[in-house]
Amino acid sequence: DMMRGFLAGVAALALAGCSTTAMQAPEPAAIVTQSMPETMASMDPSDSILFWSDERRSAAFRDMEGLFPGLEVAQTGPVRALPRGTALASGAQAALRAFMAETDAAGLMVLRDGRVVFEDYALGFGPEGRWTSFSVAKSFTSTLLGAAIADGAIESVDQPVVEILPALAGTAYDGVTVGQIATMTSGVAWNEDYTDPNSDVAKMLAVAPVAGESQAITYARTLTREAPAGEKWVYKTLETNLLGLIVEEATGRSLADYAGEKIARPAGFAGNLFWMQDLTGGNIGGCCLSLRLSDYARFGQFVLEGGEGVVPQDWFAQATAPSVPFENAPGFGYGYQWWTYPGAYGAQGIFGQAITLVPEENLVVAVVSNWPTATSNANRNAFRALIARLAADQPSRE
């Protein structure tokens, strides 16, 4: 139909645009191909994936490329080995498996000192399958922001966003910096209610495409300011979509292509990466990256080790510090698209996706799930309790 033709056209243009830039790169860029489903899922907010049945979601989460357009990044570099470490004690293993059963987890992997000390799967999922990220993708987009700063494509987090996205001039984002978007402190009003089909988060990807303009920009035009820039934190997925667009405009490359070079290859991913596109052909910075469970864990290990040669030297120290401390929850806060916890930090997404890092214990825990509801304080608290148990269980190291 007309929409599919339009989408195919803009996607082809986006690919053509990034392939030229890629050929000029000093290293061979990732191999990126357009992925287009035979029958595209509806973008109607009332039929959003947020409101699907458990069974429909479970099938979708492992096959987003079968439902939505996106870019597929081939595995092109050496795979980082994840050797087996000393297995966890039987009590800890039982606790992890009970958590998986109670929270509808499809896979859970624990790395200590870069070694696998626990790995298990459920819901018919397995080591070579891919599972979608939801907002875990935000921490990938943040890392690509760091890479773009290291490459000199973006001056710093203090650069005004309208210098990179001039289309935002005159909108609620005029006067906002890249860093304020990264920390979600733009002061722009937003509704991120995953249970409401009329919320901004449910409607943003359904806004009618405007030729030559990203959907993120089109939706941003409808928003208003509720606080001065830098003063109020509100969680807004659109801002990560804008952050992804900032990276794409500054580098001249798609997020998927840039992630292939800056994350997948240096982190040693074992499988391909899929990153969903919006209706105007741009990768969705705030969502919908699909990876193997082991590659979520590899990304965590890459971050834990500092991302040397990809991001500025102190990038992760800054990005994972609580730029926004939560006053009612000591030790908790938000950084550059990373959640901060007491003694730890991580990426998290709705329906139970997470990567949590405990630097002092050199611990990485990655989980993918299909919770019955988008959010669950009980499940998040149970996961944090597991992390605390793993951190306290300190085996003797060589």
Side-chain angles (χ1 to χ4, degrees), residues 35-128:
S35 172
M36 187 70 68
E38 287 186 15
T39 305
M40 205 166 96
S42 168
M43 298 305 285
D44 180 345
S46 65
D47 189 37
S48 163
I49 196 168
L50 294 170
F51 310 116
W52 289 1
S53 67
D54 282 7
E55 185 180 6
R56 195 176 170 199
R57 278 199 318 269
S58 186
F61 289 178
R62 69 193 80 206
D63 183 32
M64 295 294 271
E65 62 274 20
L67 296 166
F68 301 100
L71 297 180
E72 181 87 20
V73 183
Q75 197 287 333
T76 56
V79 175
R80 175 177 180 139
L82 294 177
R84 297 280 154 183
T86 304
L88 298 175
S90 58
Q93 291 194 46
L96 287 167
R97 290 194 174 97
F99 167 82
M100 289 181 69
E102 288 162 10
T103 62
D104 299 290
L108 195 153
M109 179 177 281
V110 181
L111 303 183
R112 190 186 287 277
D113 299 327
R115 294 174 176 268
V116 179
V117 296
F118 182 87
E119 178 182 9
D120 203 6
Y121 299 89
L123 309 184
F125 189 56
E128 294 187 1

Side-chain angles (χ1 to χ4, degrees), residues 79-262:
V79 175
R80 175 177 180 139
L82 294 177
R84 297 280 154 183
T86 304
L88 298 175
S90 58
Q93 291 194 46
L96 287 167
R97 290 194 174 97
F99 167 82
M100 289 181 69
E102 288 162 10
T103 62
D104 299 290
L108 195 153
M109 179 177 281
V110 181
L111 303 183
R112 190 186 287 277
D113 299 327
R115 294 174 176 268
V116 179
V117 296
F118 182 87
E119 178 182 9
D120 203 6
Y121 299 89
L123 309 184
F125 189 56
E128 294 187 1
R130 295 190 298 195
W131 199 270
T132 196
S133 62
F134 289 100
S135 292
V136 168
K138 290 180 167 72
S139 302
F140 283 73
T141 298
S142 163
T143 301
L144 296 178
L145 169 65
I149 290 171
D151 281 350
I154 295 171
E155 288 172 17
S156 75
V157 293
D158 298 321
Q159 188 170 3
V161 68
V162 293
E163 287 186 4
I164 304 168
L165 302 178
L168 288 177
T171 72
Y173 284 97
D174 207 334
V176 173
T177 66
V178 170
Q180 286 162 345
I181 285 188
T183 56
M184 299 193 186
T185 56
S186 66
V188 173
W190 181 261
N191 178 355
E192 186 94 4
D193 184 348
Y194 303 113
T195 65
D196 180 3
N198 289 313
S199 67
D200 292 306
V201 74
K203 294 191 299 186
M204 65 177 178
L205 293 177
V207 67
V210 173
E213 180 172 279
S214 164
Q215 271 187 299
I217 299 284
T218 305
Y219 202 83
R221 291 187 192 284
T222 70
L223 302 177
T224 57
R225 171 168 297 286
E226 65 174 356
E231 290 188 13
K232 183 176 181 180
W233 181 81
V234 175
Y235 188 79
K236 318 178 197 59
T237 291
L238 179 80
E239 299 203 333
T240 325
N241 295 353
L242 289 173
L243 199 64
L245 185 61
I246 286 166
V247 172
E248 290 192 330
E249 288 295 316
T251 61
R253 295 167 69 175
S254 67
L255 287 182
D257 177 42
Y258 203 47
E261 180 189 336
K262 299 297 185 178

